[in-house]
Amino acid sequence: MNGVHDLGGMHGFPDLGYEPDEPTFHHEWERRCFALNFAADSLGRWNLDMWRHAVERMDPVEYLTTSYYEHWLHAMETLLVEHGLLSPEELHARLAGDRAPATPSPGQPAALSAAQVEAALSHGEPAARDVERPVRFRPGDRVHTANLHPEGHTRLPRYARAKQGIVRDDRGVHLFPDRRAAGEHDAAERLYNVEFSARELWGNAAPPRDTVRLDLWESYLESA
Amino acid sequence: MATDDYRHAAPSLTDPELRVRALQSLLTEKGLVDPAALDAIIDVFETRVGPHNGARVVARAWSDAAFRQRLLRDATAAIAELGFEGSQGEHMTVVENTPEVHNMVVCTLCSCYPWPTLGLPPVWYKSPSYRSRAVADPRGVLAEFGVRLPEEVEVRVWDSSAEMRYLVLPRRPPGTEGMSEEALAALVTRDAMIGVAPARTPDAE
């Protein structure tokens, strides 16, 4: 979606806010929020692309004026409610101070146990898929990115749409976020690493030799 | 839609601490979350992963030419030789700085970052400032880190738009001949492996 999260090339945010020796988490709630997200994701009701899209669906002003882990909190609350694991009423009530305990629902997924954490983190979630797909582009091919403006999730940033580039590498077949975020958990396409000159992206004031590389799925690309 | 009703009717959402406590208690009571698992997750990310891992990869690449070749050919497998693998490091690519090319890594769309080798990203990497500027004005960002490169050097910015995760192999500093891997690793900073700074020189310590 053409959301405010798609920040590449925007002006107006000069201050990096570099903090030397910053801690991993600045507040206890951030630590808890990070861990809760991981545990909630492991319930298997949504995939990573749906999670990222939930962040993108935040109100744009809230997105820019809240801290990073507040984005994580928003995504988790949104997905828990949308996938029926928590009701808005339960959450309201608890926030309002209602201490009546909640109870498990029949058919709900099992919690990730402490014993499962190590294996889950070591294995991760590989995105590569060992499936046969024709190879449409080869390294050295000139390509043109599509002028896509989906309302749903995409990983083709606005700054790289309708631009000419050169394929530099074939990454193999990977899970495809645009369709996964819509619920097609196994959607996959061939992924390519594509080089764009800085001048192609930003105009002739850009340094002549600089480049930007993006990993782009086949349906984002046309032959040039 | 249910989530819209929830957003408009909820009590003030300005306190994330209250919201996190409410979620944790609800999810625990419902048996959807095990608090012991939360502690295990936090432990991994606060103590086990971090830039010290990536620094060891870089130090080995500087010290062992065969390892460096394996790292550049199949970074995921080479990094796994040192025991670093898994979540947000499933598909690694190491990009080598040379006299001709300086690499820099960003995720303009969110905050993608190679967790097993670098840990969780710093706030500045996830900021609108870095995300907006790294692709469009990398030399301006580098200048803030004290790095100025001639125009003949290609500044190559890798935007992490898929699950490939990038680690910069910085140039080995002068005056480090004969140093042990452990001593070399101490010169390799997180910022060098993101590509916004050079590795430290021995006399800088």
Side-chain angles (χ1 to χ4, degrees):
Chain A
M1 61 183 281
N2 291 351
V4 78
H5 70 285
D6 189 350
L7 286 161
M10 278 183 76
H11 292 158
F13 300 104
D15 184 15
L16 274 184
Y18 189 94
E19 180 191 342
D21 301 319
E22 64 166 87
T24 306
F25 299 108
H26 290 74
H27 305 282
E28 180 62 24
W29 73 259
E30 290 189 337
R31 193 177 274 119
R32 300 264 126 214
C33 179
F34 176 85
L36 278 169
N37 260 277
F38 192 90
D41 289 349
S42 72
L43 296 170
R45 287 292 168 92
W46 55 80
N47 61 50
L48 177 56
D49 304 295
M50 295 165 81
W51 187 90
R52 289 197 181 111
H53 192 47
V55 174
E56 292 165 4
R57 287 185 285 137
M58 281 183 89
D59 174 85
V61 175
E62 275 185 44
Y63 183 92
L64 291 177
T65 55
T66 51
S67 65
Y68 177 73
Y69 284 109
E70 287 178 81
H71 299 178
W72 282 51
L73 183 52
H74 175 98
M76 178 170 48
E77 287 169 344
T78 300
L79 292 168
L80 285 166
V81 169
E82 286 179 351
H83 290 270
L85 293 175
L86 207 58
S87 74
E89 293 73 33
E90 283 178 295
L91 200 40
H92 283 175
R94 188 56 59 97
L95 283 167
D98 180 347
R99 311 222 56 80
T103 52
S105 308
Q108 72 176 34
L112 180 75
S113 70
Q116 292 171 311
V117 167
E118 179 82 37
L121 286 173
S122 301
H123 184 262
E125 285 183 52
R129 280 298 172 270
D130 187 17
V131 293
E132 284 296 316
R133 291 289 162 86
V135 179
R136 196 164 160 220
F137 302 110
R138 297 186 192 279
D141 285 356
R142 293 191 173 274
V143 290
H144 199 257
T145 52
N147 190 19
L148 292 172
H149 295 270
E151 287 189 35
H153 185 61
T154 185
R155 296 293 288 188
L156 177 60
R158 274 174 288 190
Y159 76 82
R161 295 174 192 170
K163 298 293 181 187
Q164 303 256 37
I166 300 172
V167 173
R168 289 302 184 200
D169 212 343
D170 177 343
R171 299 293 195 207
V173 178
H174 275 232
L175 291 170
F176 181 45
D178 302 36
R179 285 166 54 199
R180 288 191 91 218
E184 281 186 65
H185 297 294
D186 296 323
E189 286 190 2
R190 192 166 293 278
L191 182 71
Y192 299 92
N193 186 260
V194 182
E195 172 190 295
F196 300 88
S197 73
R199 288 191 164 179
E200 169 69 5
L201 298 176
W202 313 113
N204 288 332
R209 298 181 97 118
D210 292 355
T211 57
V212 176
R213 295 282 197 103
L214 282 137
D215 289 307
L216 301 176
W217 283 266
E218 201 163 274
S219 60
Y220 297 165
L221 306 172
E222 298 293 333
S223 290
Chain B
M1 186 199 165
T3 41
D4 290 344
D5 295 339
Y6 153 67
R7 270 190 26 223
H8 294 132
S12 167
L13 296 180
T14 57
D15 192 341
E17 186 175 345
L18 288 179
R19 287 158 66 196
V20 169
R21 284 174 191 275
L23 267 182
Q24 181 165 341
S25 62
L26 276 173
L27 295 175
T28 303
E29 286 159 29
K30 289 163 85 70
L32 291 170
V33 156
D34 177 350
L38 301 183
D39 293 334
I41 293 161
I42 290 164
D43 182 61
V44 168
F45 285 93
E46 285 197 307
T47 65
R48 296 226 325 252
V49 297
H52 53 280
N53 294 348
R56 285 184 51 203
V57 173
V58 170
R60 180 152 304 179
W62 286 345
S63 307
D64 179 341
F67 178 78
R68 180 182 153 279
Q69 288 295 343
R70 293 198 300 279
L71 187 64
L72 296 176
R73 195 177 57 242
D74 183 346
T76 310
I79 290 167
E81 291 177 32
L82 278 77
F84 309 135
E85 60 189 354
S87 195
Q88 292 299 300
E90 300 92 338
H91 305 289
M92 292 297 300
T93 297
V94 167
V95 291
E96 182 184 37
N97 283 354
T98 68
E100 294 80 35
V101 179
H102 179 94
N103 297 281
M104 216 166 113
V105 182
V106 66
C107 177
T108 62
L109 294 169
C110 51
S111 60
C112 302
Y113 194 73
W115 291 352
T117 42
L118 291 186
L120 296 179
V123 171
W124 63 264
Y125 178 89
K126 302 177 287 194
S127 67
S129 175
Y130 187 71
R131 287 164 55 186
S132 60
R133 296 163 60 207
V135 283
D137 181 25
R139 290 174 186 261
V141 174
L142 288 169
E144 285 187 36
F145 284 91
V147 177
R148 282 180 173 74
L149 298 161
E151 224 177 44
E152 299 71 52
V153 173
E154 174 192 336
V155 174
R156 183 178 293 170
V157 183
W158 300 78
D159 190 357
S160 313
S161 47
E163 292 305 313
M164 307 306 303
R165 294 286 169 267
Y166 295 95
L167 190 76
V168 174
L169 176 55
R171 297 184 63 189
R172 180 171 179 164
T176 59
E177 296 72 28
M179 283 174 72
S180 68
E181 273 188 46
E182 196 184 335
L184 287 170
L187 303 177
V188 184
T189 60
R190 172 201 66 198
D191 293 354
M193 292 181 281
I194 295 171
V196 293
R200 299 201 332 236
T201 51
D203 35 310
E205 294 199 69

